[in-house]
Amino acid sequence: MASHPHAGDPVFDLHVGGKMEILSTAALTGPEELSLAYTPGVARVCEAIAADPSMTQHYTWVPNTVAVVTDGTAVLGLGDIGPAAAMPVMEGKAVLFKQFGGVDAVPICLDTTDVEEIIETVVRLAPSFGGINLEDISAPRCFEIEARLKERLDIPVFHDDQHGTAVVALAALTNALRLTGRDAATVRVVVQGAGAAGVAVARILLEAGIKDIAVLDRQGVLNSERSDLTEVKAALARDTADHFGRRGTLADVMAGADVYIGVSGGQVPEEIVASMAADAIIFGLANPTPEVHPDLAHKYARVVATGRSDFPNQINNVLAFPGIFRGAFDVHATAITEGMKVAAATALAELVGDALSEEMIIPSPFDPRVPGAVRDAVAAAARADGVARR
């Protein structure tokens, strides 16, 4: 290995030359193989696809390949670091797709933050891919980009920062509610953070039958009394806090709350944590510093989860997105529906089974059953929702 500026640092050593390569599935050992894989043989396959574009599903890698697309504006906890600096993360995401879902993935870092340019670029690239995974694009732009791409494309479009987080959080919460004897219809939930993850978490909780949800941004609870809300936040306010008259600050809504889900990166004072209901459930998902550190959370809560791998109950998106795309690809789905996301969460929750405990409300990313369970549940839900093409 040639020396590099950070030689000897194991993280940098692993990244030398990147984390990916392209491998051929066709052996080219002589002229006969070359004539089959390339000219003249390949022309017959091209003609077949030209006559019937659905043949792409049989004779190219397209139906098993996802584009991992970012503009570098919301990368991990690093923020807007630009497309070049985002590439190591997108490579990592692509490696996770392959390792955990058997899905090929190509990292694409776009040198634009313009909503229209991103949408048009992805639409132009779409014929090369079976699905689009949007990654690390800042809110609120990410909502419009995803919604409009879903309208224009007949392949799955999935913003993992939103929906991957939401699926795994719902799976973990399903088991936490079971463990603490709570019912989805009556539980009181506080979601701190109204960016990509916060909005998606609240939406999937509504889909799963949870009704009493207060979502907060930096100015407080989202409700229709506020005049400063974006269209996305205003719609969420109508579906959440408005129904129960929730308003005010975090302190106002945390008093007596059963569940706290943090996707904000802020810090919750101890006296506010202490005001929650007995046997509370606390998910502090900001990385690397949870909104409520587990040591503090355990003083007042029965079930605690974070986004970190060094504490029990890690809410890790890798539990969801590889299996979701694998299941969608297996049935040639035209979209990823709310039903498919909830099915993925249910499958993840059920894998815990009899091992359910305060320290085990979600499977490990390395549980070999995870990708298959999510895949099968998503494929079945795609058929039930009428978006499967085979």
PDB file of all heavy atoms in Angstrom, residues 181-202:
ATOM      1  N   GLY A 181     -46.491  -2.562  28.405  1.00  0.00           N
ATOM      2  CA  GLY A 181     -47.934  -2.746  28.513  1.00  0.00           C
ATOM      3  C   GLY A 181     -48.761  -1.572  28.029  1.00  0.00           C
ATOM      4  O   GLY A 181     -49.863  -1.327  28.529  1.00  0.00           O
ATOM      5  N   ARG A 182     -48.246  -0.850  27.042  1.00  0.00           N
ATOM      6  CA  ARG A 182     -48.961   0.317  26.532  1.00  0.00           C
ATOM      7  C   ARG A 182     -49.672  -0.014  25.224  1.00  0.00           C
ATOM      8  O   ARG A 182     -49.266  -0.910  24.497  1.00  0.00           O
ATOM      9  CB  ARG A 182     -48.006   1.485  26.328  1.00  0.00           C
ATOM     10  CG  ARG A 182     -47.505   2.118  27.626  1.00  0.00           C
ATOM     11  CD  ARG A 182     -46.582   3.276  27.322  1.00  0.00           C
ATOM     12  NE  ARG A 182     -46.344   4.120  28.489  1.00  0.00           N
ATOM     13  CZ  ARG A 182     -45.283   4.019  29.287  1.00  0.00           C
ATOM     14  NH1 ARG A 182     -44.357   3.092  29.051  1.00  0.00           N
ATOM     15  NH2 ARG A 182     -45.140   4.833  30.320  1.00  0.00           N
ATOM     16  N   ASP A 183     -50.680   0.798  24.920  1.00  0.00           N
ATOM     17  CA  ASP A 183     -51.479   0.616  23.714  1.00  0.00           C
ATOM     18  C   ASP A 183     -51.230   1.783  22.771  1.00  0.00           C
ATOM     19  O   ASP A 183     -51.193   2.945  23.188  1.00  0.00           O
ATOM     20  CB  ASP A 183     -52.964   0.556  24.092  1.00  0.00           C
ATOM     21  CG  ASP A 183     -53.831   0.319  22.869  1.00  0.00           C
ATOM     22  OD1 ASP A 183     -53.716  -0.759  22.263  1.00  0.00           O
ATOM     23  OD2 ASP A 183     -54.614   1.218  22.510  1.00  0.00           O
ATOM     24  N   ALA A 184     -51.059   1.470  21.487  1.00  0.00           N
ATOM     25  CA  ALA A 184     -50.769   2.510  20.494  1.00  0.00           C
ATOM     26  C   ALA A 184     -51.842   3.598  20.481  1.00  0.00           C
ATOM     27  O   ALA A 184     -51.541   4.777  20.293  1.00  0.00           O
ATOM     28  CB  ALA A 184     -50.650   1.882  19.107  1.00  0.00           C
ATOM     29  N   ALA A 185     -53.080   3.227  20.681  1.00  0.00           N
ATOM     30  CA  ALA A 185     -54.190   4.175  20.563  1.00  0.00           C
ATOM     31  C   ALA A 185     -54.220   5.195  21.694  1.00  0.00           C
ATOM     32  O   ALA A 185     -54.819   6.267  21.551  1.00  0.00           O
ATOM     33  CB  ALA A 185     -55.512   3.429  20.510  1.00  0.00           C
ATOM     34  N   THR A 186     -53.583   4.890  22.830  1.00  0.00           N
ATOM     35  CA  THR A 186     -53.668   5.786  23.989  1.00  0.00           C
ATOM     36  C   THR A 186     -52.315   6.323  24.442  1.00  0.00           C
ATOM     37  O   THR A 186     -52.271   7.188  25.325  1.00  0.00           O
ATOM     38  CB  THR A 186     -54.322   5.055  25.179  1.00  0.00           C
ATOM     39  OG1 THR A 186     -53.595   3.845  25.454  1.00  0.00           O
ATOM     40  CG2 THR A 186     -55.770   4.700  24.863  1.00  0.00           C
ATOM     41  N   VAL A 187     -51.224   5.855  23.865  1.00  0.00           N
ATOM     42  CA  VAL A 187     -49.896   6.291  24.301  1.00  0.00           C
ATOM     43  C   VAL A 187     -49.643   7.743  23.891  1.00  0.00           C
ATOM     44  O   VAL A 187     -50.126   8.210  22.862  1.00  0.00           O
ATOM     45  CB  VAL A 187     -48.808   5.350  23.715  1.00  0.00           C
ATOM     46  CG1 VAL A 187     -48.670   5.527  22.201  1.00  0.00           C
ATOM     47  CG2 VAL A 187     -47.468   5.561  24.399  1.00  0.00           C
ATOM     48  N   ARG A 188     -48.916   8.473  24.723  1.00  0.00           N
ATOM     49  CA  ARG A 188     -48.574   9.875  24.442  1.00  0.00           C
ATOM     50  C   ARG A 188     -47.116   9.958  24.014  1.00  0.00           C
ATOM     51  O   ARG A 188     -46.213   9.577  24.761  1.00  0.00           O
ATOM     52  CB  ARG A 188     -48.757  10.740  25.690  1.00  0.00           C
ATOM     53  CG  ARG A 188     -50.083  11.467  25.764  1.00  0.00           C
ATOM     54  CD  ARG A 188     -50.062  12.492  26.877  1.00  0.00           C
ATOM     55  NE  ARG A 188     -49.094  13.558  26.605  1.00  0.00           N
ATOM     56  CZ  ARG A 188     -48.576  14.366  27.532  1.00  0.00           C
ATOM     57  NH1 ARG A 188     -48.905  14.207  28.797  1.00  0.00           N
ATOM     58  NH2 ARG A 188     -47.727  15.312  27.181  1.00  0.00           N
ATOM     59  N   VAL A 189     -46.886  10.494  22.825  1.00  0.00           N
ATOM     60  CA  VAL A 189     -45.546  10.517  22.233  1.00  0.00           C
ATOM     61  C   VAL A 189     -45.106  11.958  21.968  1.00  0.00           C
ATOM     62  O   VAL A 189     -45.892  12.777  21.485  1.00  0.00           O
ATOM     63  CB  VAL A 189     -45.516   9.716  20.910  1.00  0.00           C
ATOM     64  CG1 VAL A 189     -44.129   9.765  20.272  1.00  0.00           C
ATOM     65  CG2 VAL A 189     -45.933   8.266  21.155  1.00  0.00           C
ATOM     66  N   VAL A 190     -43.839  12.233  22.261  1.00  0.00           N
ATOM     67  CA  VAL A 190     -43.212  13.505  21.923  1.00  0.00           C
ATOM     68  C   VAL A 190     -42.077  13.230  20.940  1.00  0.00           C
ATOM     69  O   VAL A 190     -41.212  12.389  21.210  1.00  0.00           O
ATOM     70  CB  VAL A 190     -42.656  14.209  23.179  1.00  0.00           C
ATOM     71  CG1 VAL A 190     -41.855  15.459  22.788  1.00  0.00           C
ATOM     72  CG2 VAL A 190     -43.781  14.576  24.134  1.00  0.00           C
ATOM     73  N   VAL A 191     -42.094  13.896  19.795  1.00  0.00           N
ATOM     74  CA  VAL A 191     -41.023  13.794  18.807  1.00  0.00           C
ATOM     75  C   VAL A 191     -40.332  15.148  18.737  1.00  0.00           C
ATOM     76  O   VAL A 191     -40.943  16.137  18.317  1.00  0.00           O
ATOM     77  CB  VAL A 191     -41.559  13.397  17.411  1.00  0.00           C
ATOM     78  CG1 VAL A 191     -40.419  13.349  16.393  1.00  0.00           C
ATOM     79  CG2 VAL A 191     -42.277  12.053  17.467  1.00  0.00           C
ATOM     80  N   GLN A 192     -39.076  15.200  19.171  1.00  0.00           N
ATOM     81  CA  GLN A 192     -38.332  16.455  19.128  1.00  0.00           C
ATOM     82  C   GLN A 192     -37.455  16.489  17.882  1.00  0.00           C
ATOM     83  O   GLN A 192     -36.543  15.679  17.727  1.00  0.00           O
ATOM     84  CB  GLN A 192     -37.471  16.631  20.379  1.00  0.00           C
ATOM     85  CG  GLN A 192     -36.803  18.010  20.430  1.00  0.00           C
ATOM     86  CD  GLN A 192     -35.949  18.206  21.658  1.00  0.00           C
ATOM     87  OE1 GLN A 192     -35.512  17.260  22.300  1.00  0.00           O
ATOM     88  NE2 GLN A 192     -35.698  19.459  22.005  1.00  0.00           N
ATOM     89  N   GLY A 193     -37.769  17.440  16.996  1.00  0.00           N
ATOM     90  CA  GLY A 193     -37.076  17.531  15.714  1.00  0.00           C
ATOM     91  C   GLY A 193     -38.086  17.377  14.599  1.00  0.00           C
ATOM     92  O   GLY A 193     -38.814  16.379  14.540  1.00  0.00           O
ATOM     93  N   ALA A 194     -38.165  18.369  13.718  1.00  0.00           N
ATOM     94  CA  ALA A 194     -39.144  18.338  12.619  1.00  0.00           C
ATOM     95  C   ALA A 194     -38.437  18.432  11.276  1.00  0.00           C
ATOM     96  O   ALA A 194     -38.960  19.011  10.325  1.00  0.00           O
ATOM     97  CB  ALA A 194     -40.165  19.459  12.785  1.00  0.00           C
ATOM     98  N   GLY A 195     -37.244  17.865  11.214  1.00  0.00           N
ATOM     99  CA  GLY A 195     -36.547  17.737   9.946  1.00  0.00           C
ATOM    100  C   GLY A 195     -36.971  16.457   9.250  1.00  0.00           C
ATOM    101  O   GLY A 195     -38.058  15.922   9.507  1.00  0.00           O
ATOM    102  N   ALA A 196     -36.096  15.938   8.394  1.00  0.00           N
ATOM    103  CA  ALA A 196     -36.445  14.762   7.592  1.00  0.00           C
ATOM    104  C   ALA A 196     -36.868  13.589   8.461  1.00  0.00           C
ATOM    105  O   ALA A 196     -37.928  12.986   8.259  1.00  0.00           O
ATOM    106  CB  ALA A 196     -35.257  14.375   6.714  1.00  0.00           C
ATOM    107  N   ALA A 197     -36.053  13.248   9.455  1.00  0.00           N
ATOM    108  CA  ALA A 197     -36.356  12.076  10.284  1.00  0.00           C
ATOM    109  C   ALA A 197     -37.573  12.314  11.161  1.00  0.00           C
ATOM    110  O   ALA A 197     -38.436  11.450  11.292  1.00  0.00           O
ATOM    111  CB  ALA A 197     -35.144  11.713  11.135  1.00  0.00           C
ATOM    112  N   GLY A 198     -37.665  13.488  11.771  1.00  0.00           N
ATOM    113  CA  GLY A 198     -38.779  13.758  12.677  1.00  0.00           C
ATOM    114  C   GLY A 198     -40.127  13.688  11.988  1.00  0.00           C
ATOM    115  O   GLY A 198     -41.078  13.097  12.511  1.00  0.00           O
ATOM    116  N   VAL A 199     -40.217  14.279  10.815  1.00  0.00           N
ATOM    117  CA  VAL A 199     -41.485  14.250  10.064  1.00  0.00           C
ATOM    118  C   VAL A 199     -41.852  12.820   9.693  1.00  0.00           C
ATOM    119  O   VAL A 199     -42.994  12.386   9.860  1.00  0.00           O
ATOM    120  CB  VAL A 199     -41.388  15.135   8.806  1.00  0.00           C
ATOM    121  CG1 VAL A 199     -42.601  14.934   7.908  1.00  0.00           C
ATOM    122  CG2 VAL A 199     -41.255  16.603   9.202  1.00  0.00           C
ATOM    123  N   ALA A 200     -40.868  12.057   9.219  1.00  0.00           N
ATOM    124  CA  ALA A 200     -41.149  10.688   8.792  1.00  0.00           C
ATOM    125  C   ALA A 200     -41.504   9.788   9.973  1.00  0.00           C
ATOM    126  O   ALA A 200     -42.384   8.928   9.867  1.00  0.00           O
ATOM    127  CB  ALA A 200     -39.950  10.113   8.040  1.00  0.00           C
ATOM    128  N   VAL A 201     -40.826   9.975  11.096  1.00  0.00           N
ATOM    129  CA  VAL A 201     -41.154   9.190  12.298  1.00  0.00           C
ATOM    130  C   VAL A 201     -42.600   9.468  12.710  1.00  0.00           C
ATOM    131  O   VAL A 201     -43.379   8.544  12.966  1.00  0.00           O
ATOM    132  CB  VAL A 201     -40.173   9.500  13.446  1.00  0.00           C
ATOM    133  CG1 VAL A 201     -40.706   8.954  14.773  1.00  0.00           C
ATOM    134  CG2 VAL A 201     -38.802   8.904  13.159  1.00  0.00           C
ATOM    135  N   ALA A 202     -42.957  10.747  12.771  1.00  0.00           N
ATOM    136  CA  ALA A 202     -44.334  11.087  13.157  1.00  0.00           C
ATOM    137  C   ALA A 202     -45.344  10.489  12.183  1.00  0.00           C
ATOM    138  O   ALA A 202     -46.382   9.947  12.593  1.00  0.00           O
ATOM    139  CB  ALA A 202     -44.495  12.603  13.222  1.00  0.00           C
TER     140      ALA A 202
END
